[in-house]
Amino acid sequence: MRFVKNSPQILSTIAIALVIIFGFVFSAQRFASVAIDAKERLTQDRITSVLDVFASFAALGASEGSLQEQVVRIKEENDTFRAFKVVRAVGDKYEIMASARPEEVGQLDLENGYIYGPTLGQPGQPYYFALSLSDGSRGYKAARAIVGPEGVIGVVYLEASLAEADRSVAKGIQISYLILAGILLFIMILFFRHARIIDYAKLYKDLEGVSKMKDDFLSMASHELRTPLTIIRGYADLIAGAVGLSEQDRKNVENISMAANQLNILVADMLDVSRIEQGKLSFNLETVATTATTKEIAETFAETAKNKGLSLIIEVPELPNIKADKDRLRQVLVNIIGNAIKYTPKGEVRVTGGLDDKKRVTLRVSDTGLGISAEEQKKLFQKFYRVKSEETKEITGTGLGLWITKTIVEQMGGEISVESIKGTGSHFILAFPPAISPTIKTEASKTV
Ligand code: ADP
C-alpha cells in the first residue's frame, strides 16, 4: 500500500491492466454468444430443411419400406441427429411407422405426444422445442406434419443435439482464456518492470540529492580550508626567512611549506571540481599571445627541472594568438608541464608548438618519462584516475589534474590529446582555434 502511495504511476498501470482484462473478457463473452447464436440458427435451418424435404417426400405416398430406408440414411448422414422417426396418429396415440432405431417400428411413441399434438394442429410449419436432451446435451426436438393429397398422413420427428456446437464454442472460449492468461502474465511482467523503473527513477532522484550535498560540502570544505592554509604558508615563509635558524629547523619549516603547498594544490583542485560540477566555472576570454604566454609559463619550471636533473627545452615558434582565459591557460600548461616533469625520472621535457592539419594552434609537451600504455590512456582523463605502478607509487597526486585540464581546454573551445609509449615517454597536445588567421614563423630552439 505504501509502495502504491509512493508511486502513484502504478495506479495507472493497474487501471490499464484492468481495462485490458475486462475488455478481453467482455469481447470473449460477446464472441461466444454470437457464435452460439449462429450455431443454433444453422442447426435450426438444417432441421427445418430436413423436415421440409422429408415431409414432402413422405407426402408423395412413399411406401413404409422406403420411408424406413430414407430415415436410416438421413440419420447416418447427420451425426448430430439423436432421433429421427415418422409417426401416425392412431386414435389419441402415435404409432411409429419408420425410425432410425428400427426396433421401434410398429410400437407406440408414448414420449413425444405433447409435440405431435400441436404439430398436427398447425400442419403448415415445423414445431420446435429447445431443451436438454436425454443424453444431457442441449438440443432441439422438432416435428412437422406430413400432409398428402388426402390430408394429414403423419408426423416426421427429429431430435438434434447442439453438443458438438457447444463443445467447439467452449473450446474457443478456453483458448481465449489461455490467451488472456498469457496477456495477464505479460502485463504482470510489464508491471514489475514499470515498478522497477519507478524505483530506479526514485533512486536517481535520491542520488541527485546526495550528489548535490557532496558538491555543496566539497565547495564549502575547500573554501573553509583555504584561509587556515594561507595562514600556515604565510607563517612558514616568515619562519624560513628568519635569521639564525638551525639547519634542522630550516628543514622542518621547509617540510611544513611543502606539505602546505601540496594541500593548497589539492584544495584548489577540489574547488575546481566543485565549480565544474556545479557549472560555475567562469572564463574571461581574451586574445592571448600564445608563444609569449607559453614560454613565460614553461620557464617557471626551469628551476624544478634543473633540480631533478632534467633538460627543459622550450621550442615554441611564433604562433597565432588564441582566444582563451589567460589564467585558465596557465593552469592547463602548469598541469601538463608539471606532470611531464613529475613523471619523468631522467631525460628531457620539451615544449613545442605549431599548426595542425585543421589550422589549429597546437602546443605540445613531450617527455622521456614513464609513458602511458594504450589501455591506461583510455582512462587518463577520467576524474581521480591515476596510473598505478611501481614507479608512480611514490609520486603524490590526486588524479584530478587531467580531468580538470580537459574540461577547461574543451570549455575554451580547444582539445587535448595524448600520444605515449609505455617506458619511452609521452606527448600531451593542446589544440586551439586561432584568434586570427594563422601564420607561422620559426624561432631557434632554446634550452633552459
Ligand atoms: P595526478 O598527477 O595528480 O595523479 P593527473 O590527473 O594530472 O593527476 O594525472 C593522472 C595520471 O596520469 C597520473 O597519476 C599519471 O599516472 C598519469 N600521467 C599524467 N601525465 C603523465 C606523463 N607526462 N607521463 C606519464 N604519466 C602521466
Side-chain angles (χ1 to χ4, degrees):
M1 213 50 217
R2 219 182 55 215
F3 177 70
V4 173
K5 218 169 158 187
N6 288 339
S7 323
Q9 300 94 320
I10 287 293
L11 288 176
S12 64
T13 312
I14 295 173
I16 292 170
L18 287 178
V19 167
I20 292 175
I21 294 168
F22 285 129
F24 197 92
V25 170
F26 177 74
S27 62
Q29 291 300 340
R30 280 247 355 112
F31 160 77
S33 77
V34 167
I36 287 172
D37 270 3
K39 289 270 186 188
E40 285 176 356
R41 221 168 305 124
L42 261 172
T43 310
Q44 281 185 18
D45 287 349
R46 215 160 92 235
I47 293 171
T48 309
S49 42
V50 169
L51 289 179
D52 284 353
V53 170
F54 198 86
S56 313
F57 165 71
L60 294 176
S63 67
E64 285 192 15
S66 81
L67 276 183
Q68 174 61 26
E69 209 176 284
Q70 290 308 319
V71 164
V72 171
R73 190 182 61 78
I74 290 172
K75 163 75 172 68
E76 270 169 8
E77 280 173 7
N78 295 280
D79 45 351
T80 58
F81 290 177
R82 293 286 180 270
F84 191 42
K85 55 187 148 190
V86 180
V87 296
R88 76 170 149 232
V90 180
D92 59 350
K93 300 268 185 299
Y94 298 94
E95 184 197 338
I96 300 170
M97 289 164 69
S99 170
R101 262 182 272 150
E103 66 276 13
E104 290 184 334
V105 176
Q107 294 178 8
L108 290 180
D109 186 344
L110 303 172
E111 204 183 307
N112 297 316
Y114 69 99
I115 294 172
Y116 302 142
T119 306
L120 291 171
Q122 44 162 37
Q125 57 193 34
Y127 192 78
Y128 275 103
F129 267 99
L131 72 177
S132 250
L133 300 179
S134 49
D135 64 359
S137 66
R138 278 189 332 115
Y140 295 109
K141 286 184 172 183
R144 198 184 200 302
I146 304 168
V147 187
E150 282 111 43
V152 172
I153 299 170
V155 175
V156 52
Y157 168 83
L158 168 49
E159 251 180 61
S161 165
L162 285 167
E164 194 57 41
D166 286 349
R167 246 198 310 278
S168 78
V169 171
K171 203 165 175 197
I173 291 182
Q174 207 178 14
I175 291 172
S176 308
Y177 283 120
L178 273 177
I179 295 173
L180 177 63
I183 292 177
L184 273 179
L185 193 74
F186 180 67
I187 291 175
M188 269 165 76
I189 292 170
L190 274 184
F191 177 84
F192 285 116
R193 272 179 64 99
H194 189 174
R196 266 222 316 267
I197 289 169
I198 290 170
D199 261 3
Y200 288 149
K202 268 178 66 61
L203 211 66
Y204 178 75
K205 242 182 162 167
D206 293 350
L207 269 177
E208 258 187 349
V210 173
S211 172
K212 178 152 183 347
M213 260 166 65
K214 179 209 75 182
D215 288 348
D216 290 349
F217 172 76
L218 211 68
S219 166
M220 187 268 292
S222 30
H223 269 112
E224 293 305 313
L225 279 168
R226 263 192 146 176
T227 320
L229 250 179
T230 316
I231 297 171
I232 294 170
R233 287 169 75 201
Y235 276 109
D237 288 350
L238 210 69
I239 299 169
V243 273
L245 224 56
S246 74
E247 197 50 36
Q248 187 56 46
D249 287 346
R250 191 166 301 283
K251 255 205 174 121
N252 290 345
V253 88
E254 264 171 23
N255 282 340
I256 295 175
S257 242
M258 226 164 67
N261 279 338
Q262 266 177 18
L263 209 55
N264 196 43
I265 293 171
L266 175 67
V267 168
D269 278 356
M270 269 163 58
L271 258 177
D272 276 343
V273 170
S274 88
R275 281 196 197 111
I276 289 170
E277 284 184 339
Q278 293 177 7
K280 285 187 186 155
L281 200 66
S282 60
F283 293 89
N284 180 19
L285 292 182
E286 56 183 317
T287 303
V288 175
T290 318
T291 307
T293 310
T294 309
K295 279 187 193 167
E296 180 207 314
I297 296 163
E299 275 160 13
T300 62
F301 284 93
E303 191 70 14
T304 325
K306 202 167 127 199
N307 288 345
K308 216 178 160 187
L310 300 173
S311 313
L312 176 62
I313 303 159
I314 304 167
E315 263 181 349
V316 189
E318 201 51 50
L319 292 169
N321 294 340
I322 56 171
K323 265 252 170 327
D325 179 314
K326 204 167 171 181
D327 289 336
R328 292 290 175 198
L329 181 66
R330 176 184 302 277
Q331 186 180 352
V332 166
L333 284 167
V334 164
N335 184 251
I336 56 175
I337 301 173
N339 273 353
I341 294 175
K342 197 157 91 169
Y343 296 103
T344 302
K346 62 178 191 318
E348 62 174 49
V349 170
R350 191 179 286 262
V351 183
T352 56
L355 293 177
D356 68 5
D357 47 7
K358 292 183 195 155
K359 298 272 181 273
R360 291 180 305 181
V361 178
T362 61
L363 295 171
R364 179 180 285 257
V365 178
S366 313
D367 64 58
T368 55
L370 304 178
I372 305 151
S373 72
E375 208 44 47
E376 290 157 353
Q377 283 175 40
K378 287 186 203 152
K379 297 177 248 168
L380 200 64
F381 296 99
Q382 290 174 5
K383 214 192 296 177
F384 296 113
Y385 181 74
R386 302 201 72 215
V387 175
K388 285 188 184 69
S389 68
E390 270 307 304
E391 294 104 321
T392 57
K393 215 166 64 186
E394 300 298 321
I395 306 174
T396 55
T398 58
L400 288 171
L402 283 181
W403 181 76
I404 296 170
T405 297
K406 184 174 160 67
T407 310
I408 292 175
V409 169
E410 286 175 355
Q411 293 198 5
M412 290 196 301
E415 199 185 325
I416 183 168
S417 55
V418 63
E419 293 165 5
S420 182
I421 297 175
K422 186 108 185 153
T424 304
S426 313
H427 300 260
F428 280 84
I429 305 124
L430 300 173
F432 290 100
I436 49 157
S437 61
T439 50
I440 184 164
K441 267 194 258 157
T442 29
E443 194 199 54
S445 69
K446 176 178 172 190
T447 305
V448 187

mmCIF file of all heavy atoms in Angstrom, residues 2-28:
data_model
loop_
_atom_site.group_PDB
_atom_site.id
_atom_site.type_symbol
_atom_site.label_atom_id
_atom_site.label_comp_id
_atom_site.label_asym_id
_atom_site.label_seq_id
_atom_site.Cartn_x
_atom_site.Cartn_y
_atom_site.Cartn_z
ATOM 1 N N ARG A 2 1.958 1.184 0.851
ATOM 2 C CA ARG A 2 2.842 2.337 0.938
ATOM 3 C C ARG A 2 3.563 2.549 -0.395
ATOM 4 O O ARG A 2 3.767 3.650 -0.846
ATOM 5 C CB ARG A 2 3.861 2.139 2.051
ATOM 6 C CG ARG A 2 4.102 3.449 2.788
ATOM 7 C CD ARG A 2 5.121 3.327 3.862
ATOM 8 N NE ARG A 2 6.362 2.796 3.374
ATOM 9 C CZ ARG A 2 7.159 1.990 4.076
ATOM 10 N NH1 ARG A 2 6.791 1.627 5.268
ATOM 11 N NH2 ARG A 2 8.295 1.559 3.597
ATOM 12 N N PHE A 3 3.883 1.367 -1.003
ATOM 13 C CA PHE A 3 4.569 1.413 -2.298
ATOM 14 C C PHE A 3 3.704 2.136 -3.327
ATOM 15 O O PHE A 3 4.163 3.009 -4.044
ATOM 16 C CB PHE A 3 4.881 -0.018 -2.733
ATOM 17 C CG PHE A 3 5.519 -0.089 -4.083
ATOM 18 C CD1 PHE A 3 6.820 0.357 -4.272
ATOM 19 C CD2 PHE A 3 4.827 -0.591 -5.177
ATOM 20 C CE1 PHE A 3 7.416 0.294 -5.508
ATOM 21 C CE2 PHE A 3 5.424 -0.649 -6.412
ATOM 22 C CZ PHE A 3 6.710 -0.197 -6.569
ATOM 23 N N VAL A 4 2.387 1.776 -3.327
ATOM 24 C CA VAL A 4 1.459 2.403 -4.277
ATOM 25 C C VAL A 4 1.351 3.893 -3.977
ATOM 26 O O VAL A 4 1.330 4.732 -4.879
ATOM 27 C CB VAL A 4 0.070 1.721 -4.212
ATOM 28 C CG1 VAL A 4 -0.947 2.462 -5.050
ATOM 29 C CG2 VAL A 4 0.185 0.281 -4.684
ATOM 30 N N LYS A 5 1.343 4.215 -2.669
ATOM 31 C CA LYS A 5 1.219 5.617 -2.265
ATOM 32 C C LYS A 5 2.440 6.420 -2.744
ATOM 33 O O LYS A 5 2.315 7.543 -3.218
ATOM 34 C CB LYS A 5 1.126 5.687 -0.731
ATOM 35 C CG LYS A 5 0.162 6.744 -0.258
ATOM 36 C CD LYS A 5 -0.068 6.583 1.201
ATOM 37 C CE LYS A 5 -0.554 7.839 1.841
ATOM 38 N NZ LYS A 5 -0.611 7.674 3.280
ATOM 39 N N ASN A 6 3.621 5.764 -2.629
ATOM 40 C CA ASN A 6 4.848 6.440 -3.041
ATOM 41 C C ASN A 6 4.979 6.513 -4.559
ATOM 42 O O ASN A 6 5.708 7.343 -5.073
ATOM 43 C CB ASN A 6 6.074 5.697 -2.499
ATOM 44 C CG ASN A 6 6.190 5.885 -1.005
ATOM 45 O OD1 ASN A 6 5.628 6.826 -0.455
ATOM 46 N ND2 ASN A 6 6.891 4.982 -0.350
ATOM 47 N N SER A 7 4.319 5.594 -5.242
ATOM 48 C CA SER A 7 4.457 5.563 -6.698
ATOM 49 C C SER A 7 3.077 5.595 -7.345
ATOM 50 O O SER A 7 2.567 4.566 -7.786
ATOM 51 C CB SER A 7 5.184 4.291 -7.128
ATOM 52 O OG SER A 7 6.177 3.957 -6.229
ATOM 53 N N PRO A 8 2.432 6.767 -7.389
ATOM 54 C CA PRO A 8 1.067 6.828 -7.917
ATOM 55 C C PRO A 8 0.973 6.365 -9.369
ATOM 56 O O PRO A 8 -0.090 5.970 -9.830
ATOM 57 C CB PRO A 8 0.699 8.302 -7.787
ATOM 58 C CG PRO A 8 1.964 9.021 -7.496
ATOM 59 C CD PRO A 8 2.962 8.058 -6.978
ATOM 60 N N GLN A 9 2.121 6.367 -10.107
ATOM 61 C CA GLN A 9 2.078 5.929 -11.511
ATOM 62 C C GLN A 9 1.635 4.477 -11.621
ATOM 63 O O GLN A 9 1.075 4.060 -12.635
ATOM 64 C CB GLN A 9 3.474 6.042 -12.162
ATOM 65 C CG GLN A 9 4.035 7.430 -12.155
ATOM 66 C CD GLN A 9 4.919 7.669 -10.947
ATOM 67 O OE1 GLN A 9 4.612 7.238 -9.842
ATOM 68 N NE2 GLN A 9 6.000 8.380 -11.133
ATOM 69 N N ILE A 10 1.875 3.702 -10.523
ATOM 70 C CA ILE A 10 1.498 2.285 -10.532
ATOM 71 C C ILE A 10 -0.006 2.155 -10.762
ATOM 72 O O ILE A 10 -0.459 1.247 -11.446
ATOM 73 C CB ILE A 10 1.873 1.645 -9.168
ATOM 74 C CG1 ILE A 10 3.383 1.482 -9.065
ATOM 75 C CG2 ILE A 10 1.180 0.315 -8.963
ATOM 76 C CD1 ILE A 10 3.961 0.474 -10.022
ATOM 77 N N LEU A 11 -0.775 3.130 -10.189
ATOM 78 C CA LEU A 11 -2.231 3.060 -10.313
ATOM 79 C C LEU A 11 -2.655 3.078 -11.768
ATOM 80 O O LEU A 11 -3.563 2.358 -12.169
ATOM 81 C CB LEU A 11 -2.874 4.220 -9.560
ATOM 82 C CG LEU A 11 -2.792 4.078 -8.033
ATOM 83 C CD1 LEU A 11 -3.366 5.309 -7.358
ATOM 84 C CD2 LEU A 11 -3.550 2.830 -7.576
ATOM 85 N N SER A 12 -1.969 3.904 -12.565
ATOM 86 C CA SER A 12 -2.355 3.965 -13.976
ATOM 87 C C SER A 12 -2.052 2.631 -14.646
ATOM 88 O O SER A 12 -2.817 2.167 -15.492
ATOM 89 C CB SER A 12 -1.662 5.122 -14.693
ATOM 90 O OG SER A 12 -0.277 4.902 -14.700
ATOM 91 N N THR A 13 -0.948 1.984 -14.253
ATOM 92 C CA THR A 13 -0.627 0.670 -14.838
ATOM 93 C C THR A 13 -1.713 -0.328 -14.473
ATOM 94 O O THR A 13 -2.189 -1.088 -15.319
ATOM 95 C CB THR A 13 0.726 0.162 -14.293
ATOM 96 O OG1 THR A 13 1.655 1.208 -14.404
ATOM 97 C CG2 THR A 13 1.206 -1.054 -15.044
ATOM 98 N N ILE A 14 -2.145 -0.304 -13.175
ATOM 99 C CA ILE A 14 -3.184 -1.244 -12.733
ATOM 100 C C ILE A 14 -4.471 -0.973 -13.510
ATOM 101 O O ILE A 14 -5.128 -1.894 -13.990
ATOM 102 C CB ILE A 14 -3.421 -1.120 -11.216
ATOM 103 C CG1 ILE A 14 -2.162 -1.560 -10.472
ATOM 104 C CG2 ILE A 14 -4.617 -1.945 -10.770
ATOM 105 C CD1 ILE A 14 -2.201 -1.340 -8.973
ATOM 106 N N ALA A 15 -4.812 0.340 -13.663
ATOM 107 C CA ALA A 15 -6.041 0.693 -14.373
ATOM 108 C C ALA A 15 -5.995 0.165 -15.802
ATOM 109 O O ALA A 15 -6.958 -0.433 -16.291
ATOM 110 C CB ALA A 15 -6.228 2.198 -14.370
ATOM 111 N N ILE A 16 -4.846 0.352 -16.472
ATOM 112 C CA ILE A 16 -4.718 -0.122 -17.862
ATOM 113 C C ILE A 16 -4.886 -1.642 -17.892
ATOM 114 O O ILE A 16 -5.603 -2.193 -18.742
ATOM 115 C CB ILE A 16 -3.347 0.292 -18.458
ATOM 116 C CG1 ILE A 16 -3.321 1.819 -18.633
ATOM 117 C CG2 ILE A 16 -3.095 -0.402 -19.791
ATOM 118 C CD1 ILE A 16 -1.977 2.385 -18.972
ATOM 119 N N ALA A 17 -4.232 -2.329 -16.913
ATOM 120 C CA ALA A 17 -4.316 -3.797 -16.881
ATOM 121 C C ALA A 17 -5.774 -4.233 -16.720
ATOM 122 O O ALA A 17 -6.252 -5.126 -17.431
ATOM 123 C CB ALA A 17 -3.465 -4.346 -15.753
ATOM 124 N N LEU A 18 -6.523 -3.546 -15.800
ATOM 125 C CA LEU A 18 -7.923 -3.928 -15.559
ATOM 126 C C LEU A 18 -8.771 -3.698 -16.805
ATOM 127 O O LEU A 18 -9.588 -4.542 -17.174
ATOM 128 C CB LEU A 18 -8.487 -3.132 -14.381
ATOM 129 C CG LEU A 18 -7.955 -3.562 -13.007
ATOM 130 C CD1 LEU A 18 -8.523 -2.680 -11.905
ATOM 131 C CD2 LEU A 18 -8.297 -5.032 -12.733
ATOM 132 N N VAL A 19 -8.535 -2.541 -17.464
ATOM 133 C CA VAL A 19 -9.307 -2.240 -18.681
ATOM 134 C C VAL A 19 -9.066 -3.334 -19.721
ATOM 135 O O VAL A 19 -10.003 -3.836 -20.360
ATOM 136 C CB VAL A 19 -8.908 -0.849 -19.241
ATOM 137 C CG1 VAL A 19 -9.454 -0.656 -20.644
ATOM 138 C CG2 VAL A 19 -9.424 0.251 -18.321
ATOM 139 N N ILE A 20 -7.788 -3.741 -19.859
ATOM 140 C CA ILE A 20 -7.469 -4.784 -20.854
ATOM 141 C C ILE A 20 -8.185 -6.089 -20.483
ATOM 142 O O ILE A 20 -8.818 -6.726 -21.322
ATOM 143 C CB ILE A 20 -5.943 -5.005 -20.942
ATOM 144 C CG1 ILE A 20 -5.283 -3.762 -21.543
ATOM 145 C CG2 ILE A 20 -5.616 -6.233 -21.792
ATOM 146 C CD1 ILE A 20 -3.784 -3.795 -21.583
ATOM 147 N N ILE A 21 -8.129 -6.456 -19.178
ATOM 148 C CA ILE A 21 -8.746 -7.724 -18.762
ATOM 149 C C ILE A 21 -10.256 -7.686 -19.009
ATOM 150 O O ILE A 21 -10.819 -8.580 -19.639
ATOM 151 C CB ILE A 21 -8.462 -8.010 -17.270
ATOM 152 C CG1 ILE A 21 -6.966 -8.244 -17.077
ATOM 153 C CG2 ILE A 21 -9.269 -9.213 -16.777
ATOM 154 C CD1 ILE A 21 -6.520 -8.253 -15.641
ATOM 155 N N PHE A 22 -10.904 -6.589 -18.532
ATOM 156 C CA PHE A 22 -12.359 -6.515 -18.696
ATOM 157 C C PHE A 22 -12.735 -6.476 -20.172
ATOM 158 O O PHE A 22 -13.682 -7.137 -20.599
ATOM 159 C CB PHE A 22 -12.933 -5.307 -17.951
ATOM 160 C CG PHE A 22 -12.975 -5.541 -16.467
ATOM 161 C CD1 PHE A 22 -12.440 -4.624 -15.578
ATOM 162 C CD2 PHE A 22 -13.536 -6.706 -15.945
ATOM 163 C CE1 PHE A 22 -12.452 -4.852 -14.209
ATOM 164 C CE2 PHE A 22 -13.562 -6.943 -14.577
ATOM 165 C CZ PHE A 22 -13.026 -6.020 -13.705
ATOM 166 N N GLY A 23 -11.983 -5.719 -20.941
ATOM 167 C CA GLY A 23 -12.232 -5.622 -22.378
ATOM 168 C C GLY A 23 -12.145 -6.993 -23.009
ATOM 169 O O GLY A 23 -12.981 -7.392 -23.813
ATOM 170 N N PHE A 24 -11.120 -7.735 -22.601
ATOM 171 C CA PHE A 24 -10.898 -9.055 -23.186
ATOM 172 C C PHE A 24 -12.028 -10.010 -22.810
ATOM 173 O O PHE A 24 -12.587 -10.697 -23.665
ATOM 174 C CB PHE A 24 -9.558 -9.593 -22.689
ATOM 175 C CG PHE A 24 -9.056 -10.717 -23.532
ATOM 176 C CD1 PHE A 24 -8.219 -10.467 -24.604
ATOM 177 C CD2 PHE A 24 -9.437 -12.019 -23.269
ATOM 178 C CE1 PHE A 24 -7.772 -11.502 -25.398
ATOM 179 C CE2 PHE A 24 -8.996 -13.052 -24.053
ATOM 180 C CZ PHE A 24 -8.162 -12.804 -25.122
ATOM 181 N N VAL A 25 -12.387 -10.031 -21.507
ATOM 182 C CA VAL A 25 -13.437 -10.947 -21.046
ATOM 183 C C VAL A 25 -14.747 -10.593 -21.747
ATOM 184 O O VAL A 25 -15.456 -11.472 -22.250
ATOM 185 C CB VAL A 25 -13.601 -10.859 -19.513
ATOM 186 C CG1 VAL A 25 -14.840 -11.611 -19.050
ATOM 187 C CG2 VAL A 25 -12.364 -11.411 -18.821
ATOM 188 N N PHE A 26 -15.036 -9.276 -21.831
ATOM 189 C CA PHE A 26 -16.277 -8.836 -22.453
ATOM 190 C C PHE A 26 -16.333 -9.298 -23.909
ATOM 191 O O PHE A 26 -17.310 -9.886 -24.362
ATOM 192 C CB PHE A 26 -16.388 -7.301 -22.363
ATOM 193 C CG PHE A 26 -17.602 -6.749 -23.031
ATOM 194 C CD1 PHE A 26 -18.850 -6.892 -22.447
ATOM 195 C CD2 PHE A 26 -17.510 -6.090 -24.258
ATOM 196 C CE1 PHE A 26 -19.985 -6.385 -23.068
ATOM 197 C CE2 PHE A 26 -18.629 -5.586 -24.887
ATOM 198 C CZ PHE A 26 -19.865 -5.738 -24.289
ATOM 199 N N SER A 27 -15.209 -9.066 -24.642
ATOM 200 C CA SER A 27 -15.269 -9.408 -26.061
ATOM 201 C C SER A 27 -15.283 -10.922 -26.235
ATOM 202 O O SER A 27 -15.930 -11.419 -27.170
ATOM 203 C CB SER A 27 -14.133 -8.749 -26.843
ATOM 204 O OG SER A 27 -12.927 -9.217 -26.351
ATOM 205 N N ALA A 28 -14.636 -11.677 -25.331
ATOM 206 C CA ALA A 28 -14.676 -13.147 -25.450
ATOM 207 C C ALA A 28 -16.107 -13.645 -25.246
ATOM 208 O O ALA A 28 -16.592 -14.502 -25.977
ATOM 209 C CB ALA A 28 -13.732 -13.773 -24.424
#
